[in-house]
Amino acid sequence: MRKLIWRLSVAGLSVIMMLSACTKAGDIIYVPDPDEPVASKAPVVTVIYDQNALGDRSYNDLIYQGVEEAAAQHGLRTVQMSPISYEEGRDYLENMFRTVKSSTDTIPHLYIVTAAGYDDYIRKNSSVFDSNPYADLLYLETPEPLESGGSTLYLPYYGAMYEGGAIQPVLNNLASVIVSNPEDQTVVGAAKGFADGFLADYYQVESILGGEERVLDIVYLAEHAGEGYNIADSTALRIMDQFNGTLIPICGGSGYTLTYFCDVIFRYYVGIDVERFSYWCHMSIFKHIDRAVAHCIGQWLSPEGMPRHQVLGLKEGYTGVSLNLGYYSTFYDRYISEEMRRQIHEDAIRKEEEYEKR
């Protein structure tokens, strides 16, 4: 028994000697344990979404995907925050500004804010980022740069929507555009673009499903910025009963709900933000927000940093139109020549530039 105790004591003493040593003055110097985990010093990307935004299988989920792919590529840490209420989102933002203002941390930190419903609050407080060299802000998606502190990114949708709207009558002269709200500029511009393209006089055709007269309804789901992006199943079904023609859902997660029921009850629709492939989806109008966000993260890590404001639209290839050629190539070939398709695309780029200058 004594022998065993002695051996244990020697083992314990050897551990202590490994972790500490003494100077001539008798001061103890502790040596780090080589097996102890070391805190990561990798840069951090934090994303703050609008309430209940994640899980829309559309725009916000694309942002999530773009951030995680960029993090894997560059070795970053990420925090993705999707509040369940407006008040919780406000708390997240307040904590962000408070942390940036008081932090002495030297690890680079990028905050990406997608929450359009807090625009005034963000603009009033963004100047705190000017005083912290280790913290940066990327605010999505706004056509108006911040006066101070942080960068802004804007993916105008007018051009891609104009192009999609001009093609839509090939299938159906009746269309209903379902928009989240009349205050978020990205969805307002998108709805305007689709309407302008839909009513443009590129060709006269009695479409497959509609008559010669083109009829377009525009419906808003909510009144204020940040609202209208999540609706109940019953609301979606009621909307589908009230409005005719092909559905064009420019409303985030609400759009996913609508298109789900379109596939179930056999209703034509246009896929928005992501490329969808379905018999009932003859065309998709997409926005590569995932690629755009990953691009901005790469800029943030570069010596030059992010520009104060940048616009990535149809001309730059971050938005566009994808035709469902698997089911509908015959109709597209019959009514839209390659030359006309190019003309519509070029017009859409030009009209987007004109629209954004207003």
Side-chain angles (χ1 to χ4, degrees), residues 6 23 75 94 99 122 136 160 165 178 202 238-239 250 255 269 277 313:
W6 174 248
T23 64
E94 288 178 354
T99 300
I122 292 168
D136 285 287
I178 313 300
Y202 285 100
R238 187 167 62 252
I239 289 172
I250 312 174
Y269 65 92
F277 299 95

Side-chain angles (χ1 to χ4, degrees), residues 85-104:
S85 67
Y86 179 89
E87 291 72 22
E88 186 173 74
R90 178 64 178 258
D91 290 342
Y92 288 165
L93 292 171
E94 288 178 354
N95 183 65
M96 176 189 73
F97 287 124
R98 186 165 51 247
T99 300
V100 170
K101 187 175 182 179
S102 62
S103 176
T104 58

